[in-house]
Amino acid sequence: MSKKILITGGAGFIGSHVVRLFVNNYPDYRIFNLDALTYAGNLENLTDVESSENYTFLKGDITDDEYIKSIFETHQFDGVIHLAAESHVDRSISDPLAFAKTNILGTMILLNSFKNLWQNNWEGKLFYHVSTDEVYGTLGDTGLFTETTSYDPNSPYSASKASSDHFVRAYGETYKIPYVISNCSNNYGANQFPEKLIPLFINNIINNKSLPVYGDGKYTRDWLYVDDHASAIDLVFHKGIMRGTYNIGGFNEWQNIDLIKLLCQQMDEKLGREKGESEKLITYVKDRPGHDLRYAIDASKINKELGWEPSVTFEQGLSKTIDWYLANEEWMSNIINGDYLKYYEKQYS
Ligand code: NAD
Ligand code: DAU
């Protein structure tokens, strides 16, 4: 085995796609997936790779310093791809401390163990921190986030991710750890937990439940198919310039209400419903506090330096995503248990 790679948060949405890509494409790497299996972690996301020879699952919490030290000592990871996080903005509004603990403290504990293990023997080593475009705050009607846009986070989630990015950079400057950071826009695709806009609305349409649109629905996001994010992470991990940052995005801006209408149209067709049927479920509800108006990524650096670009159009990616959810109703019904229902009641009642 030529490299030992620790992927954190590999049982979550994006992490599971990254784990699958690395396990399948790099048989000579040993891939360790560390995940605490919080409400968002689900080993069902990885049943197709769980018995692969080069894959090991470690159940553990990135905020548990002793445990993290022990796995670094035992396994001597050459590379870390760090995705574990509390990731949902609405939850960060109701429980900000949980976000500080996991996203800031957890990242520092990983950085510390990585630094202490290698003690300046940095040849062939890399700490890759997966972050978000939300650290840049909000755009007005024009402009794009570039790698040099100032950080200006508005939610407890984005503030915790911004802070973790700063710690990664600080460990790079102070202790010289080799790192890369990427800041990506909104992902969608298979296995996304149904608290995020697209899977939540797919599930509600299937069940004829109302579609809760925050505010006037005119907020804009830049959507990227999850496998395209995973392929960008692969490229940045292998070819990214050390101590660099890369913005990753879909060149694909949608106002929420237009996206929701497209989703409703595709769902009507796939469910054999009358045209316009699902749109009737749209309900405007109270806005998210501190709601960022618009995110849009300038992904020209990763495009020019590493040749990366998205592989699917939004219409194709959305159609594939809906097909996945329709074919995997059991995956959804296993999630929609007591805890999910309690969250849903609290958030949308
Ligand atoms: P997710 O919520 O689906 O998954 C997070 C995973 O981390 C889960 O498997 C969970 O069990 C695990 N986890 C949480 N706390 C942990 C802890 N203390 N110790 C160990 N594991 C823990 O998240 P996601 O949407 O897949 O996002 C993954 C990463 O990508 C996050 O860092 C997020 O900030 C970033 N990101 C997400 C998006 C997006 O659109 N979803 C976009 C850009 C960046
Ligand atoms: O930009 C990257 C970020 O994208 C990631 O860092 C986050 O982890 C990820 O959760 C996502 O954040 P958003 O807040 O943009 O995603 P969410 O799916 O929660 O919401 C998308 C948009 O839809 C946003 O404008 C809020 C709106 N929305 C969301 C929900 C859940 C609604 O109108 N109604 C809803 O019920």
Side-chain angles (χ1 to χ4, degrees):
M1 296 282 175
S2 67
K3 264 186 198 294
K4 291 182 178 182
I5 297 174
L6 176 69
I7 300 181
T8 71
F13 165 49
I14 302 170
S16 60
H17 291 267
V18 174
V19 165
R20 178 174 301 102
L21 184 154
F22 274 75
V23 167
N24 289 336
N25 291 7
Y26 300 101
D28 54 334
Y29 291 178
R30 191 160 179 86
I31 305 301
F32 295 83
N33 169 14
L34 167 67
D35 200 297
L37 299 182
T38 68
Y39 79 92
N42 186 349
L43 288 177
E44 280 183 45
N45 295 346
L46 289 166
T47 44
D48 55 329
V49 294
E50 69 189 5
S51 52
S52 301
E53 254 181 46
N54 62 340
Y55 172 72
T56 305
F57 175 67
L58 302 170
K59 183 171 185 312
D61 191 321
I62 57 168
T63 67
D64 181 345
D65 194 20
E66 286 308 312
Y67 173 74
I68 296 299
K69 266 188 214 144
S70 75
I71 61 169
F72 271 81
E73 274 158 24
T74 308
H75 301 294
Q76 312 258 312
F77 307 117
D78 306 287
V80 176
I81 305 179
H82 175 36
L83 295 109
E86 290 292 340
S87 70
H88 191 43
V89 174
D90 292 328
R91 289 186 194 253
S92 81
I93 294 166
S94 46
D95 188 8
L97 291 185
F99 283 67
K101 186 176 176 199
T102 294
N103 298 357
I104 307 174
L105 183 63
T107 301
M108 291 184 70
I109 285 174
L110 289 167
L111 285 164
N112 244 9
S113 282
F114 188 68
K115 161 178 95 61
N116 292 340
L117 174 65
W118 295 114
Q119 309 265 355
N120 290 327
N121 297 312
W122 295 126
E123 181 70 33
K125 310 294 182 288
L126 181 64
F127 191 100
Y128 183 166
H129 180 57
V130 176
S131 192
T132 170
D133 60 358
E134 298 201 12
V135 297
Y136 299 123
T138 188
L139 292 163
D141 291 334
T142 57
L144 298 171
F145 295 135
T146 71
E147 285 79 0
T148 56
T149 302
S150 304
Y151 277 32
D152 192 16
N154 291 316
S155 72
Y157 164 68
S158 53
S160 68
K161 291 296 291 187
S163 174
S164 64
D165 292 11
H166 290 322
F167 274 109
V168 174
R169 254 179 252 260
Y171 271 65
E173 287 300 314
T174 307
Y175 307 111
K176 305 299 169 211
I177 74 157
Y179 74 86
V180 281
I181 300 175
S182 57
N183 297 86
C184 188
S185 64
N186 287 61
N187 284 217
Y188 69 98
N191 307 98
Q192 189 169 28
F193 193 85
E195 62 190 350
K196 309 281 164 58
L197 180 75
I198 290 181
L200 179 79
F201 279 31
I202 291 175
N203 189 45
N204 283 12
I205 292 171
I206 293 171
N207 294 298
N208 270 309
K209 282 175 72 175
S210 70
L211 305 177
V213 179
Y214 294 162
D216 61 6
K218 296 210 168 129
Y219 296 89
T220 298
R221 298 291 182 266
D222 173 356
W223 293 91
L224 179 67
Y225 191 56
V226 64
D227 287 331
D228 285 330
H229 188 187
S231 75
I233 289 174
D234 180 12
L235 269 178
V236 171
F237 182 78
H238 288 103
K239 298 193 173 143
I241 292 179
M242 207 56 75
R243 301 202 171 80
T245 67
Y246 290 88
N247 279 357
I248 306 171
F251 306 102
N252 179 43
E253 285 182 54
W254 285 79
Q255 271 196 351
N256 290 343
I257 193 64
D258 296 331
L259 181 160
I260 292 160
K261 286 182 179 166
L262 174 68
L263 179 68
C264 287
Q265 278 164 30
Q266 290 201 0
M267 291 293 290
D268 282 345
E269 280 164 29
K270 288 176 195 284
L271 292 170
R273 290 185 184 166
E274 239 173 71
K275 216 173 160 194
E277 191 68 23
S278 300
E279 270 191 34
K280 290 186 197 148
L281 299 169
I282 291 175
T283 313
Y284 290 91
V285 300
K286 192 164 150 260
D287 210 347
R288 172 186 278 175
H291 201 164
D292 286 330
L293 177 68
R294 177 171 163 259
Y295 306 144
I297 282 276
D298 176 354
S300 53
K301 178 178 173 190
I302 187 171
N303 175 258
K304 284 195 192 108
E305 269 186 23
L306 307 181
W308 174 86
E309 58 184 9
S311 69
V312 292
T313 65
F314 189 55
E315 285 76 3
Q316 289 166 336
L318 191 62
S319 172
K320 278 162 56 143
T321 303
I322 298 170
D323 289 346
W324 186 86
Y325 281 97
L326 291 176
N328 289 277
E329 285 191 29
E330 201 183 326
W331 181 93
M332 186 65 89
S333 63
N334 289 343
I335 285 177
I336 305 194
N337 58 23
D339 284 346
Y340 178 80
L341 290 179
K342 261 190 245 154
Y343 164 77
Y344 198 92
E345 251 322 284
K346 195 167 158 223
Q347 180 64 23
Y348 295 103
S349 62

